[in-house]
Amino acid sequence: MHNFLFGIYPYIALSVLIIGTIARYERDPFTWKTSSSQLLRRKQLVVGSTLFHVGVLVIFFGHLGGLLTPIWVFDALGISHGAKQTLAVVAGGIAGVMALIGGCMLFHRRWTDPRIRRTSSFADIGILALLLAQLVLGLGTIVVSLQHLDGHEMTKFMSWAQGIFTFQAGSANHIQDVSWIFKLHLVLGLTIFLLFPFTRLVHMLSAPLRYLMRPGYQIVRSRRTAPLPKHQQRSVR
């Protein structure tokens, strides 16, 4: 089971993520959206969304760089494994708390407001619950990491992740003896990758670059009415 979860399951999850995301974009481009509920309880959304997204982005890119950067690069830069471990604990802890607080605010808003509940699908609520569970597990790993500040445990996960991405046999052996909370954290993370193409998370791949280059103002009017004279048209941002 260990070999399946950490030697085979990563390839299943990543394959579904890539192929499923491309297929959804090609077949159902109009479902590629967040189904925003911004007009409802806006203040709670702004605070919660900001905390959640900033925290998650810091965690994601921190994991991406920390796990996939070859160990020799840190050695060449003179960054010890202990220093890297300490940085990961401090930065990850702060970002994790931010994301958890923001995520709880978003979950509370989506779960308790009847209007927002009616516009939310099972996948919307389910994926948010999984992300919150993942954040709790991630913060739980910090307790274990504090017992290994020499960074030796971190190198095991780096070797595993880099072994997976370079198709090395026996990559699962690198994390054979790590704590169960790390293993559960990895499995849930891979499961989120697996579900990614079927949820609103796909909006992460749609950076609105054209929004920055759009015309400054748009003329807004109802389709049911005849065009207003120019001096009566309202320009809105």
Coordinates of all heavy atoms in Angstrom, one line a residue, residues 41 44 107-115 117:
R41 N -22.6 39.5 1.0 CA -21.7 39.5 2.2 C -20.3 39.8 1.7 O -19.3 39.1 2.0 CB -21.7 38.2 3.0 CG -23.1 38.0 3.6 CD -23.2 36.7 4.3 NE -22.4 36.6 5.5 CZ -22.4 35.6 6.3 NH1 -23.3 34.6 6.1 NH2 -21.7 35.6 7.4
Q44 N -17.0 40.2 4.3 CA -16.5 38.9 4.8 C -15.7 38.2 3.7 O -14.7 37.6 3.9 CB -17.6 38.0 5.3 CG -17.1 36.7 6.0 CD -18.2 35.8 6.5 OE1 -19.3 36.1 6.3 NE2 -17.8 34.8 7.2
F107 N -15.6 29.4 4.3 CA -16.5 28.2 4.5 C -17.7 28.6 5.4 O -18.9 28.2 5.0 CB -15.7 27.1 5.3 CG -16.5 25.8 5.4 CD1 -16.5 24.9 4.3 CD2 -17.2 25.5 6.5 CE1 -17.2 23.7 4.4 CE2 -17.9 24.3 6.6 CZ -17.9 23.4 5.5
H108 N -17.5 29.4 6.4 CA -18.7 29.8 7.2 C -19.6 30.7 6.4 O -20.9 30.5 6.5 CB -18.1 30.7 8.4 CG -19.2 31.3 9.2 ND1 -19.8 32.5 9.0 CD2 -19.9 30.8 10.3 CE1 -20.7 32.8 9.9 NE2 -20.8 31.8 10.7
R109 N -19.1 31.5 5.6 CA -20.0 32.4 4.7 C -20.7 31.5 3.7 O -21.9 31.7 3.5 CB -19.1 33.3 3.9 CG -19.7 34.2 2.9 CD -18.7 35.1 2.2 NE -19.3 35.8 1.1 CZ -19.3 35.4 -0.1 NH1 -18.8 34.2 -0.4 NH2 -19.9 36.1 -1.1
R110 N -20.1 30.5 3.1 CA -20.8 29.7 2.1 C -21.7 28.7 2.7 O -22.7 28.4 2.1 CB -19.7 29.0 1.3 CG -20.3 28.2 0.1 CD -19.1 27.8 -0.9 NE -18.5 28.9 -1.5 CZ -18.9 29.5 -2.6 NH1 -20.0 29.1 -3.2 NH2 -18.2 30.6 -3.1
W111 N -21.4 28.3 4.0 CA -22.3 27.2 4.6 C -23.5 27.8 5.3 O -24.5 27.2 5.4 CB -21.4 26.4 5.6 CG -22.1 25.3 6.2 CD1 -22.7 25.3 7.4 CD2 -22.3 24.0 5.6 NE1 -23.3 24.0 7.7 CE2 -23.1 23.2 6.6 CE3 -22.0 23.4 4.4 CZ2 -23.4 21.9 6.3 CZ3 -22.4 22.1 4.2 CH2 -23.1 21.4 5.1
T112 N -23.4 29.0 5.9 CA -24.4 29.6 6.7 C -25.3 30.5 6.0 O -26.5 30.8 6.5 CB -23.8 30.3 8.0 OG1 -23.0 31.3 7.5 CG2 -23.0 29.3 8.8
D113 N -24.9 31.1 4.9 CA -25.8 32.1 4.2 C -26.7 31.3 3.2 O -26.2 30.7 2.3 CB -25.0 33.1 3.5 CG -25.8 34.3 3.0 OD1 -26.8 34.0 2.3 OD2 -25.4 35.4 3.2
P114 N -28.0 31.3 3.4 CA -28.9 30.5 2.6 C -28.8 30.9 1.1 O -28.9 30.1 0.2 CB -30.3 30.8 3.1 CG -30.1 31.3 4.5 CD -28.7 32.0 4.5
R115 N -28.6 32.2 0.8 CA -28.5 32.6 -0.6 C -27.2 32.1 -1.2 O -27.3 31.6 -2.4 CB -28.5 34.2 -0.6 CG -29.8 34.8 -0.1 CD -29.6 36.3 0.0 NE -28.5 36.7 0.8 CZ -28.0 38.0 0.9 NH1 -28.6 38.9 0.2 NH2 -27.0 38.2 1.7
R117 N -25.6 29.4 -0.2 CA -25.7 27.9 -0.3 C -26.5 27.5 -1.5 O -26.1 26.5 -2.1 CB -26.5 27.4 1.0 CG -25.7 27.3 2.2 CD -24.7 26.1 2.2 NE -25.4 24.9 2.0 CZ -25.9 24.2 2.9 NH1 -25.9 24.6 4.2 NH2 -26.5 23.0 2.7

